[in-house]
mmCIF file of all heavy atoms in Angstrom:
data_model
loop_
_atom_site.group_PDB
_atom_site.id
_atom_site.type_symbol
_atom_site.label_atom_id
_atom_site.label_comp_id
_atom_site.label_asym_id
_atom_site.label_seq_id
_atom_site.Cartn_x
_atom_site.Cartn_y
_atom_site.Cartn_z
ATOM 1 N N GLU V 1260 -23.274 1.985 6.560
ATOM 2 C CA GLU V 1260 -23.121 2.620 7.865
ATOM 3 C C GLU V 1260 -23.776 3.998 7.926
ATOM 4 O O GLU V 1260 -23.528 4.764 8.850
ATOM 5 C CB GLU V 1260 -21.629 2.747 8.200
ATOM 6 C CG GLU V 1260 -20.921 1.398 8.301
ATOM 7 C CD GLU V 1260 -19.427 1.536 8.551
ATOM 8 O OE1 GLU V 1260 -18.951 2.690 8.742
ATOM 9 O OE2 GLU V 1260 -18.731 0.498 8.555
ATOM 10 N N ILE V 1261 -24.617 4.307 6.934
ATOM 11 C CA ILE V 1261 -25.296 5.602 6.936
ATOM 12 C C ILE V 1261 -26.122 5.743 8.215
ATOM 13 O O ILE V 1261 -26.822 4.824 8.620
ATOM 14 C CB ILE V 1261 -26.194 5.752 5.684
ATOM 15 C CG1 ILE V 1261 -26.732 7.173 5.564
ATOM 16 C CG2 ILE V 1261 -27.323 4.747 5.667
ATOM 17 C CD1 ILE V 1261 -25.781 8.154 4.977
ATOM 18 N N HIS V 1262 -25.977 6.871 8.882
ATOM 19 C CA HIS V 1262 -26.701 7.093 10.141
ATOM 20 C C HIS V 1262 -28.026 7.791 9.851
ATOM 21 O O HIS V 1262 -28.064 8.848 9.232
ATOM 22 C CB HIS V 1262 -25.877 7.945 11.091
ATOM 23 C CG HIS V 1262 -26.614 8.308 12.348
ATOM 24 N ND1 HIS V 1262 -26.947 7.361 13.292
ATOM 25 C CD2 HIS V 1262 -27.113 9.492 12.791
ATOM 26 C CE1 HIS V 1262 -27.606 7.953 14.287
ATOM 27 N NE2 HIS V 1262 -27.726 9.247 13.993
ATOM 28 N N ILE V 1263 -29.114 7.176 10.291
ATOM 29 C CA ILE V 1263 -30.448 7.744 10.109
ATOM 30 C C ILE V 1263 -30.983 8.115 11.483
ATOM 31 O O ILE V 1263 -31.274 7.243 12.298
ATOM 32 C CB ILE V 1263 -31.392 6.749 9.406
ATOM 33 C CG1 ILE V 1263 -30.763 6.260 8.092
ATOM 34 C CG2 ILE V 1263 -32.741 7.401 9.138
ATOM 35 C CD1 ILE V 1263 -31.562 5.168 7.402
ATOM 36 N N SER V 1264 -31.081 9.394 11.737
ATOM 37 C CA SER V 1264 -31.531 9.860 13.052
ATOM 38 C C SER V 1264 -33.012 9.570 13.253
ATOM 39 O O SER V 1264 -33.754 9.252 12.306
ATOM 40 C CB SER V 1264 -31.289 11.370 13.186
ATOM 41 O OG SER V 1264 -32.121 12.081 12.282
ATOM 42 N N HIS V 1265 -33.435 9.691 14.496
ATOM 43 C CA HIS V 1265 -34.848 9.468 14.805
ATOM 44 C C HIS V 1265 -35.732 10.442 14.027
ATOM 45 O O HIS V 1265 -36.785 10.054 13.502
ATOM 46 C CB HIS V 1265 -35.084 9.629 16.308
ATOM 47 C CG HIS V 1265 -36.529 9.523 16.706
ATOM 48 N ND1 HIS V 1265 -37.206 8.323 16.724
ATOM 49 C CD2 HIS V 1265 -37.433 10.486 17.084
ATOM 50 C CE1 HIS V 1265 -38.464 8.533 17.102
ATOM 51 N NE2 HIS V 1265 -38.620 9.840 17.315
ATOM 52 N N SER V 1266 -35.303 11.697 13.944
ATOM 53 C CA SER V 1266 -36.109 12.691 13.222
ATOM 54 C C SER V 1266 -36.196 12.366 11.738
ATOM 55 O O SER V 1266 -37.245 12.580 11.101
ATOM 56 C CB SER V 1266 -35.531 14.094 13.427
ATOM 57 O OG SER V 1266 -34.208 14.173 12.926
ATOM 58 N N MET V 1267 -35.105 11.834 11.174
ATOM 59 C CA MET V 1267 -35.141 11.476 9.761
ATOM 60 C C MET V 1267 -36.016 10.249 9.523
ATOM 61 O O MET V 1267 -36.734 10.169 8.522
ATOM 62 C CB MET V 1267 -33.723 11.218 9.240
ATOM 63 C CG MET V 1267 -32.898 12.475 9.024
ATOM 64 S SD MET V 1267 -33.684 13.683 7.910
ATOM 65 C CE MET V 1267 -33.872 12.719 6.406
ATOM 66 N N ARG V 1268 -35.986 9.297 10.451
ATOM 67 C CA ARG V 1268 -36.877 8.140 10.309
ATOM 68 C C ARG V 1268 -38.340 8.578 10.368
ATOM 69 O O ARG V 1268 -39.195 8.062 9.635
ATOM 70 C CB ARG V 1268 -36.586 7.109 11.404
ATOM 71 C CG ARG V 1268 -35.249 6.412 11.235
ATOM 72 C CD ARG V 1268 -35.105 5.215 12.141
ATOM 73 N NE ARG V 1268 -33.783 4.622 12.024
ATOM 74 C CZ ARG V 1268 -33.422 3.769 11.082
ATOM 75 N NH1 ARG V 1268 -34.316 3.399 10.163
ATOM 76 N NH2 ARG V 1268 -32.198 3.284 11.045
ATOM 77 N N THR V 1269 -38.614 9.535 11.230
ATOM 78 C CA THR V 1269 -39.976 10.062 11.318
ATOM 79 C C THR V 1269 -40.384 10.725 10.008
ATOM 80 O O THR V 1269 -41.499 10.514 9.503
ATOM 81 C CB THR V 1269 -40.083 11.078 12.469
ATOM 82 O OG1 THR V 1269 -39.750 10.430 13.695
ATOM 83 C CG2 THR V 1269 -41.492 11.653 12.556
ATOM 84 N N LEU V 1270 -39.466 11.511 9.436
ATOM 85 C CA LEU V 1270 -39.736 12.171 8.163
ATOM 86 C C LEU V 1270 -39.997 11.144 7.065
ATOM 87 O O LEU V 1270 -40.947 11.292 6.272
ATOM 88 C CB LEU V 1270 -38.544 13.057 7.777
ATOM 89 C CG LEU V 1270 -38.653 13.797 6.448
ATOM 90 C CD1 LEU V 1270 -39.771 14.835 6.489
ATOM 91 C CD2 LEU V 1270 -37.329 14.467 6.098
ATOM 92 N N ILE V 1271 -39.181 10.105 7.008
ATOM 93 C CA ILE V 1271 -39.353 9.056 5.995
ATOM 94 C C ILE V 1271 -40.697 8.366 6.160
ATOM 95 O O ILE V 1271 -41.418 8.123 5.177
ATOM 96 C CB ILE V 1271 -38.199 8.047 6.077
ATOM 97 C CG1 ILE V 1271 -36.870 8.715 5.670
ATOM 98 C CG2 ILE V 1271 -38.470 6.825 5.198
ATOM 99 C CD1 ILE V 1271 -35.636 7.883 5.962
ATOM 100 N N ASN V 1272 -41.057 8.068 7.400
ATOM 101 C CA ASN V 1272 -42.304 7.338 7.659
ATOM 102 C C ASN V 1272 -43.552 8.156 7.372
ATOM 103 O O ASN V 1272 -44.640 7.599 7.183
ATOM 104 C CB ASN V 1272 -42.334 6.850 9.106
ATOM 105 C CG ASN V 1272 -41.313 5.754 9.376
ATOM 106 O OD1 ASN V 1272 -40.908 5.042 8.453
ATOM 107 N ND2 ASN V 1272 -40.882 5.615 10.620
ATOM 108 N N HIS V 1273 -43.410 9.478 7.311
ATOM 109 C CA HIS V 1273 -44.560 10.333 7.006
ATOM 110 C C HIS V 1273 -44.863 10.379 5.502
ATOM 111 O O HIS V 1273 -45.932 10.880 5.112
ATOM 112 C CB HIS V 1273 -44.313 11.750 7.519
ATOM 113 C CG HIS V 1273 -44.531 11.895 8.988
ATOM 114 N ND1 HIS V 1273 -44.173 13.031 9.686
ATOM 115 C CD2 HIS V 1273 -45.070 11.058 9.902
ATOM 116 C CE1 HIS V 1273 -44.484 12.888 10.965
ATOM 117 N NE2 HIS V 1273 -45.020 11.688 11.118
ATOM 118 N N HIS V 1274 -43.938 9.890 4.707
ATOM 119 C CA HIS V 1274 -44.135 9.816 3.246
ATOM 120 C C HIS V 1274 -44.513 11.168 2.648
ATOM 121 O O HIS V 1274 -45.364 11.260 1.750
ATOM 122 C CB HIS V 1274 -45.201 8.773 2.894
ATOM 123 C CG HIS V 1274 -44.891 7.403 3.400
ATOM 124 N ND1 HIS V 1274 -43.872 6.623 2.884
ATOM 125 C CD2 HIS V 1274 -45.452 6.672 4.413
ATOM 126 C CE1 HIS V 1274 -43.830 5.469 3.542
ATOM 127 N NE2 HIS V 1274 -44.770 5.477 4.479
ATOM 128 N N ALA V 1275 -43.884 12.216 3.150
ATOM 129 C CA ALA V 1275 -44.156 13.561 2.634
ATOM 130 C C ALA V 1275 -43.434 13.814 1.309
ATOM 131 O O ALA V 1275 -43.776 14.754 0.584
ATOM 132 C CB ALA V 1275 -43.743 14.605 3.657
ATOM 133 N N TYR V 1276 -42.436 12.985 1.006
ATOM 134 C CA TYR V 1276 -41.652 13.163 -0.203
ATOM 135 C C TYR V 1276 -41.504 11.832 -0.921
ATOM 136 O O TYR V 1276 -41.613 10.766 -0.316
ATOM 137 C CB TYR V 1276 -40.253 13.691 0.143
ATOM 138 C CG TYR V 1276 -40.259 14.998 0.889
ATOM 139 C CD1 TYR V 1276 -40.126 15.018 2.280
ATOM 140 C CD2 TYR V 1276 -40.392 16.208 0.222
ATOM 141 C CE1 TYR V 1276 -40.129 16.222 2.980
ATOM 142 C CE2 TYR V 1276 -40.405 17.409 0.908
ATOM 143 C CZ TYR V 1276 -40.270 17.415 2.289
ATOM 144 O OH TYR V 1276 -40.285 18.596 2.975
ATOM 145 N N HIS V 1277 -41.232 11.919 -2.208
ATOM 146 C CA HIS V 1277 -40.823 10.712 -2.925
ATOM 147 C C HIS V 1277 -39.497 10.982 -3.620
ATOM 148 O O HIS V 1277 -39.182 12.124 -3.993
ATOM 149 C CB HIS V 1277 -41.885 10.227 -3.910
ATOM 150 C CG HIS V 1277 -42.156 11.131 -5.069
ATOM 151 N ND1 HIS V 1277 -42.954 12.262 -4.976
ATOM 152 C CD2 HIS V 1277 -41.729 11.081 -6.366
ATOM 153 C CE1 HIS V 1277 -43.030 12.857 -6.143
ATOM 154 N NE2 HIS V 1277 -42.293 12.178 -7.009
ATOM 155 N N VAL V 1278 -38.717 9.932 -3.758
ATOM 156 C CA VAL V 1278 -37.340 10.045 -4.223
ATOM 157 C C VAL V 1278 -37.171 9.281 -5.529
ATOM 158 O O VAL V 1278 -37.660 8.158 -5.678
ATOM 159 C CB VAL V 1278 -36.354 9.500 -3.169
ATOM 160 C CG1 VAL V 1278 -34.918 9.588 -3.672
ATOM 161 C CG2 VAL V 1278 -36.510 10.271 -1.851
ATOM 162 N N THR V 1279 -36.475 9.908 -6.481
ATOM 163 C CA THR V 1279 -36.190 9.269 -7.760
ATOM 164 C C THR V 1279 -34.692 9.330 -8.029
ATOM 165 O O THR V 1279 -33.947 10.063 -7.373
ATOM 166 C CB THR V 1279 -36.941 9.963 -8.910
ATOM 167 O OG1 THR V 1279 -36.572 11.358 -8.955
ATOM 168 C CG2 THR V 1279 -38.444 9.841 -8.728
ATOM 169 N N PHE V 1280 -34.275 8.550 -9.022
ATOM 170 C CA PHE V 1280 -32.868 8.514 -9.418
ATOM 171 C C PHE V 1280 -32.763 8.808 -10.913
ATOM 172 O O PHE V 1280 -33.470 8.201 -11.729
ATOM 173 C CB PHE V 1280 -32.256 7.142 -9.118
ATOM 174 C CG PHE V 1280 -32.192 6.823 -7.649
ATOM 175 C CD1 PHE V 1280 -33.285 6.289 -6.988
ATOM 176 C CD2 PHE V 1280 -31.038 7.073 -6.924
ATOM 177 C CE1 PHE V 1280 -33.233 6.005 -5.625
ATOM 178 C CE2 PHE V 1280 -30.973 6.793 -5.576
ATOM 179 C CZ PHE V 1280 -32.073 6.259 -4.922
ATOM 180 N N ASN V 1281 -31.914 9.757 -11.240
ATOM 181 C CA ASN V 1281 -31.628 10.091 -12.646
ATOM 182 C C ASN V 1281 -32.862 10.520 -13.437
ATOM 183 O O ASN V 1281 -32.913 10.355 -14.654
ATOM 184 C CB ASN V 1281 -30.952 8.908 -13.355
ATOM 185 C CG ASN V 1281 -29.570 8.635 -12.812
ATOM 186 O OD1 ASN V 1281 -28.800 9.552 -12.558
ATOM 187 N ND2 ASN V 1281 -29.252 7.361 -12.614
ATOM 188 N N GLU V 1282 -33.819 11.083 -12.762
ATOM 189 C CA GLU V 1282 -35.013 11.539 -13.458
ATOM 190 C C GLU V 1282 -34.829 12.940 -14.050
ATOM 191 O O GLU V 1282 -35.402 13.262 -15.086
ATOM 192 C CB GLU V 1282 -36.230 11.521 -12.531
ATOM 193 C CG GLU V 1282 -37.538 11.815 -13.244
ATOM 194 C CD GLU V 1282 -38.759 11.409 -12.455
ATOM 195 O OE1 GLU V 1282 -38.852 10.234 -12.040
ATOM 196 O OE2 GLU V 1282 -39.618 12.281 -12.241
ATOM 197 N N ASP V 1283 -34.028 13.782 -13.368
ATOM 198 C CA ASP V 1283 -33.821 15.133 -13.890
ATOM 199 C C ASP V 1283 -32.451 15.656 -13.440
ATOM 200 O O ASP V 1283 -32.351 16.558 -12.605
ATOM 201 C CB ASP V 1283 -34.928 16.077 -13.431
ATOM 202 C CG ASP V 1283 -35.088 17.272 -14.367
ATOM 203 O OD1 ASP V 1283 -34.069 17.681 -14.957
ATOM 204 O OD2 ASP V 1283 -36.209 17.781 -14.512
ATOM 205 N N PHE V 1284 -31.399 15.072 -14.007
ATOM 206 C CA PHE V 1284 -30.037 15.454 -13.645
ATOM 207 C C PHE V 1284 -29.807 16.939 -13.884
ATOM 208 O O PHE V 1284 -29.207 17.638 -13.047
ATOM 209 C CB PHE V 1284 -29.044 14.627 -14.461
ATOM 210 C CG PHE V 1284 -27.606 14.872 -14.115
ATOM 211 C CD1 PHE V 1284 -26.969 14.106 -13.148
ATOM 212 C CD2 PHE V 1284 -26.869 15.875 -14.751
ATOM 213 C CE1 PHE V 1284 -25.635 14.331 -12.813
ATOM 214 C CE2 PHE V 1284 -25.539 16.108 -14.430
ATOM 215 C CZ PHE V 1284 -24.924 15.331 -13.460
#
Side-chain angles (χ1 to χ4, degrees):
E1260 298 177 5
I1261 189 81
H1262 175 68
I1263 306 174
S1264 67
H1265 176 74
S1266 61
M1267 285 304 301
R1268 290 192 184 277
T1269 300
L1270 179 66
I1271 293 169
N1272 291 335
H1273 281 170
H1274 302 290
Y1276 302 98
H1277 66 281
V1278 179
T1279 58
F1280 295 84
N1281 293 318
E1282 187 163 306
D1283 204 329
F1284 184 91

